[in-house]
């Protein structure tokens, strides 16, 4: 049995709902009027895959334009990235390719990317069709999911897919060491209280 640690990042515009996606996954909570993330926050969750112990570090980065120069340093060491847009806001979708370029410029070459359309529960307000998201993902040659951080639709499947694919792609490279040096990260917030039963190993399924 091996112990593996890897880093997952969420990238996207500040209004795309990245924080609520993480909150729904980690603690099954949705905050209707959540505040924009300032800087970076880290969450974590443990799994067992093929008798290997997996510790996933999930990083929520600020999406505001004024924080872009700050967040560029947080791409380093990422093994997986969720690139998020809001299906009800075209501006968040239009920025996707720029975010993809930033990830590729600042991350490991083997980072596994998934395009995520959030807020699919707001069908009456939709401006980006699911087919448009699928088409862009095919163009970029990356995975694609639509989810709702509010209802939870697609959230578990999204993270299961990402973690499984990152594991398969990188399991020979993982080592039982931190993916980053914590001293390199200024003003980081560790959101350990949101972890459900942190001492309990959970099977990824």
């Amino acid at each position: 049995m091996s112990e593996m640690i890897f880093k997952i990042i969420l990238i996207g515009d500040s209004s795309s709902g990245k924080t609520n996606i993480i909150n729904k996954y980690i603690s099954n909570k949705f905050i209707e009027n959540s505040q924009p993330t300032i800087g970076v926050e880290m969450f974590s969750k443990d799994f067992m895959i093929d008798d290997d112990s997996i510790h996933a570090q999930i990083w929520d980065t600020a999406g505001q334009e004024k924080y872009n120069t700050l967040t560029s340093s947080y791409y380093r060491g990422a093994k997986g990235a969720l690139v998020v847009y809001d299906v009800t806001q075209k501006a968040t979708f239009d920025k996707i390719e720029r975010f993809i370029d930033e990830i590729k410029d600042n991350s490991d070459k083997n980072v596994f990317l998934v395009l995520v359309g959030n807020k699919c529960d707001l069908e009456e307000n939709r401006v980006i069709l699911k087919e448009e998201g699928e088409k862009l993902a095919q163009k970029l040659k990356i995975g694609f999911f639509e989810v709702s951080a509010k209802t939870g639709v697609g959230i578990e499947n999204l993270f299961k897919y990402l973690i499984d694919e990152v594991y398969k792609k990188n399991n020979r490279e993982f080592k039982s060491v931190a993916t980053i040096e914590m001293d390199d990260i200024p003003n980081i917030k560790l959101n350990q209280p949101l972890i459900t039963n942190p001492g309990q190993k959970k099977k990824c399924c």
Side-chain angles (χ1 to χ4, degrees):
M1 184 180 77
S2 300
E3 293 185 3
M4 305 175 184
I5 301 174
F6 57 84
K7 177 180 177 182
I8 295 169
I9 58 176
L10 275 77
I11 303 297
D13 194 76
S14 59
S15 60
S16 59
K18 303 185 302 297
T19 301
N20 270 324
I21 287 175
I22 298 177
N23 281 333
K24 194 67 175 182
Y25 179 60
I26 296 292
S27 58
N28 197 30
K29 293 181 179 179
F30 176 80
I31 303 174
E32 189 72 44
N33 297 309
S34 60
Q35 297 300 310
T37 300
I38 304 299
V40 165
E41 294 180 311
M42 190 191 83
F43 304 79
S44 63
K45 198 163 186 176
D46 295 333
F47 307 90
M48 293 295 296
I49 303 179
D50 296 339
D51 295 324
D52 289 325
S53 175
I54 311 298
H55 179 73
Q57 298 175 344
I58 305 173
W59 295 76
D60 181 15
T61 56
Q64 299 96 318
E65 293 292 332
K66 64 181 179 180
Y67 292 111
N68 281 351
T69 56
L70 172 67
T71 60
S72 63
S73 63
Y74 300 108
Y75 296 121
R76 188 179 71 251
K79 295 297 184 181
L82 301 179
V83 190
V84 184
Y85 67 93
D86 177 350
V87 301
T88 72
Q89 295 189 46
K90 187 175 185 299
T92 66
F93 186 73
D94 291 341
K95 295 177 183 178
I96 290 299
E97 293 192 65
R98 177 172 64 80
F99 285 125
I100 294 286
D101 289 340
E102 287 183 9
I103 294 171
K104 291 182 176 180
D105 288 343
N106 294 282
S107 300
D108 295 346
K109 63 180 181 180
N110 291 324
V111 63
F112 189 83
L113 300 169
V114 182
L115 178 63
V116 182
N118 188 29
K119 307 184 185 180
C120 66
D121 57 293
L122 300 177
E123 192 63 38
E124 68 279 8
N125 298 322
R126 178 189 287 272
V127 296
I128 304 298
L129 298 176
K130 184 176 182 179
E131 291 76 15
E132 293 179 82
E134 291 173 333
K135 184 177 180 179
L136 179 58
Q138 290 173 358
K139 172 187 173 182
L140 298 170
K141 298 181 180 179
I142 62 177
F144 174 75
F145 275 78
E146 277 199 350
V147 303
S148 169
K150 185 173 185 177
T151 66
V153 168
I155 298 292
E156 286 289 337
N157 287 339
L158 167 64
F159 278 94
K160 182 184 184 303
Y161 170 74
L162 175 65
I163 291 166
D164 284 349
E165 291 300 320
V166 168
Y167 175 79
K168 287 188 291 185
K169 191 171 185 178
N170 297 281
N171 65 335
R172 293 182 181 179
E173 301 175 10
F174 286 139
K175 298 180 181 178
S176 183
V177 297
T179 55
I180 58 172
E181 294 294 333
M182 302 302 286
D183 291 343
D184 292 341
I185 307 300
N187 303 319
I188 186 172
K189 299 178 183 179
L190 302 180
N191 287 278
Q192 298 300 332
L194 287 180
I195 302 174
T196 303
N197 298 323
Q200 179 180 350
K201 303 293 184 182
K202 189 172 182 180
K203 201 172 190 67
C204 183
C205 58

